[in-house]
Amino acid sequence: MWLEILLASVLGFVIYWFISRDKEETLPLEDGWWGPGTRPAAREDESIRPFKVETSDEEIHDLHQRIDKFRFTPPLEDSCFHYGFNSTYLKKIISYWRNEFDWKKQVDILNRYPHFKTKIEGLNSVATARIFYKLMLRLGFQEFYIQGGDWGSLICTNMAQLVPSHVKGLHLNVAFVLNFFTLTLLLGRRFGGLFGYTERDMELMYPFKEKFLYSIMRESGYMHIQCTKPDTVGCALNDSPVGLAAYILEKFSTWTNAEYRYLEDGGLERKFVSLLERQ
């Protein structure tokens, strides 16, 4: 047993050293242009302009027409949310959206708050980090705290790497890491106590293939198509409000509780129906 622990430790150290030896702590700030055509010769417009949220009767009428033309296809019997958003329950969602949702009330609520817009570059994680940094300067902040989750954690990390003297503090959730911890996941089932795992940790993480690999394969289809073929799915989602609703709300179900896929309503009425009732 001790030999296995020694070998695992040595292997973990080698992996960690290999991954971290070329790690770059800072990034060059640089500049960028991501708009159509060539970069304008004129100085970038740095003005911050107020605006109000608006929608027209024509836009709402067009939305209602698109909802009315939804082509319903019955789901597989007893499929619940196993294959995505249950189309029978979707009829209830779009009925509320079509007949009860008060757009003008929501616009009034949004416009209780001041809104502003400005134009800055565009887009990958490093460029996005640079954009947010420029925005903070444009708003008059020389130092600031930043928080990021999901892709925001990478963007905020890039901000700290670009301008460390301006970032007073960095807080991340869903942090992207690849180090010795990755190895502990693979060895934790057998040596959980050695790595400080509690019984609850073990329950959440193992069996590893089911809790991580199978779950990622089952729930990450949207991410793969958005990463590789965004223009294809974008055409469909932009044209169909009902399709967009199903695409987004399905993740409200499975990301709230994976077991909700066994329910006909995807568990949405357990967590979110009160929001609809209060609208």
Side-chain angles (χ1 to χ4, degrees):
M1 175 180 176
W2 289 108
L3 179 60
E4 291 176 309
I5 295 175
L6 177 62
L7 291 175
S9 300
V10 171
L11 179 60
F13 175 78
V14 171
I15 293 174
Y16 178 76
W17 175 82
F18 180 78
I19 291 171
S20 63
R21 64 192 178 102
D22 294 326
K23 185 177 180 181
E24 187 176 9
E25 295 294 338
T26 60
L27 295 171
L29 184 59
E30 300 182 332
D31 207 351
W33 168 254
W34 300 80
T38 58
R39 183 171 185 166
R43 181 180 176 182
E44 184 177 32
D45 179 7
E46 297 183 0
S47 63
I48 299 174
R49 303 172 298 281
F51 74 94
K52 287 189 175 182
V53 178
E54 296 179 335
T55 188
S56 66
D57 291 337
E58 290 76 15
E59 289 174 327
I60 295 174
H61 178 68
D62 177 71
L63 171 67
H64 287 171
Q65 282 191 314
R66 291 172 184 269
I67 292 175
D68 290 340
K69 292 179 179 179
F70 167 57
R71 292 182 293 182
F72 171 75
T73 302
L76 293 175
E77 185 177 358
D78 299 324
S79 61
C80 299
F81 265 58
H82 284 280
Y83 302 109
F85 206 102
N86 185 289
S87 57
T88 298
Y89 182 67
L90 183 60
K91 292 171 70 175
K92 181 176 180 179
I93 294 292
I94 63 175
S95 175
Y96 166 80
W97 193 11
R98 172 65 174 84
N99 302 310
E100 300 177 50
F101 188 84
D102 189 337
W103 280 98
K104 293 186 177 180
K105 175 184 175 182
Q106 296 305 314
V107 168
D108 290 339
I109 291 173
L110 290 172
N111 282 324
R112 293 176 188 172
Y113 305 93
H115 301 281
F116 302 91
K117 61 183 177 181
T118 189
K119 186 176 182 180
I120 310 173
E121 292 191 32
L123 219 46
N124 58 28
S125 71
V126 175
T128 304
R130 186 170 61 234
I131 288 169
F132 277 111
Y133 165 63
K134 287 184 175 183
L135 177 61
M136 296 305 288
L137 296 184
R138 199 169 292 183
L139 293 173
F141 297 99
Q142 292 293 324
E143 293 182 319
F144 40 82
Y145 296 92
I146 52 179
Q147 193 282 331
D150 203 86
W151 276 105
S153 66
L154 179 58
I155 292 168
C156 286
T157 299
N158 290 155
M159 286 181 71
Q161 292 173 311
L162 287 169
V163 287
S165 62
H166 292 264
V167 176
K168 296 186 67 174
L170 170 64
H171 180 270
L172 306 176
N173 57 291
V174 194
F176 293 91
V177 295
L178 184 61
N179 54 25
F180 183 69
F181 173 71
T182 307
L183 183 64
T184 68
L185 287 176
L186 302 177
L187 299 176
R189 184 93 186 247
R190 188 166 183 180
F191 305 110
L194 180 65
F195 300 125
Y197 292 164
T198 65
E199 290 186 11
R200 179 57 176 163
D201 293 331
M202 301 289 284
E203 179 184 338
L204 291 172
M205 293 191 297
Y206 302 101
F208 182 80
K209 286 194 297 184
E210 170 60 31
K211 296 295 178 66
F212 284 87
L213 300 182
Y214 295 166
S215 178
I216 288 174
M217 292 177 64
R218 182 170 52 239
E219 299 297 337
S220 64
Y222 81 97
M223 183 172 63
H224 185 70
I225 193 169
Q226 287 176 192
C227 287
T228 59
K229 307 294 181 183
D231 288 350
T232 300
V233 70
C235 291
L237 298 182
N238 186 53
D239 186 64
S240 173
V242 177
L244 181 62
Y247 199 80
I248 294 175
L249 288 176
E250 182 247 310
K251 290 306 173 192
F252 274 73
S253 169
T254 54
W255 285 352
T256 300
N257 187 330
E259 297 303 309
Y260 282 173
R261 66 181 180 271
Y262 293 97
L263 303 176
E264 290 292 333
D265 69 347
L268 295 177
E269 295 193 5
R270 298 190 178 192
K271 291 291 183 179
F272 305 108
V273 69
S274 60
L275 298 178
L276 301 181
E277 292 170 346
R278 292 200 301 266
Q279 188 272 328

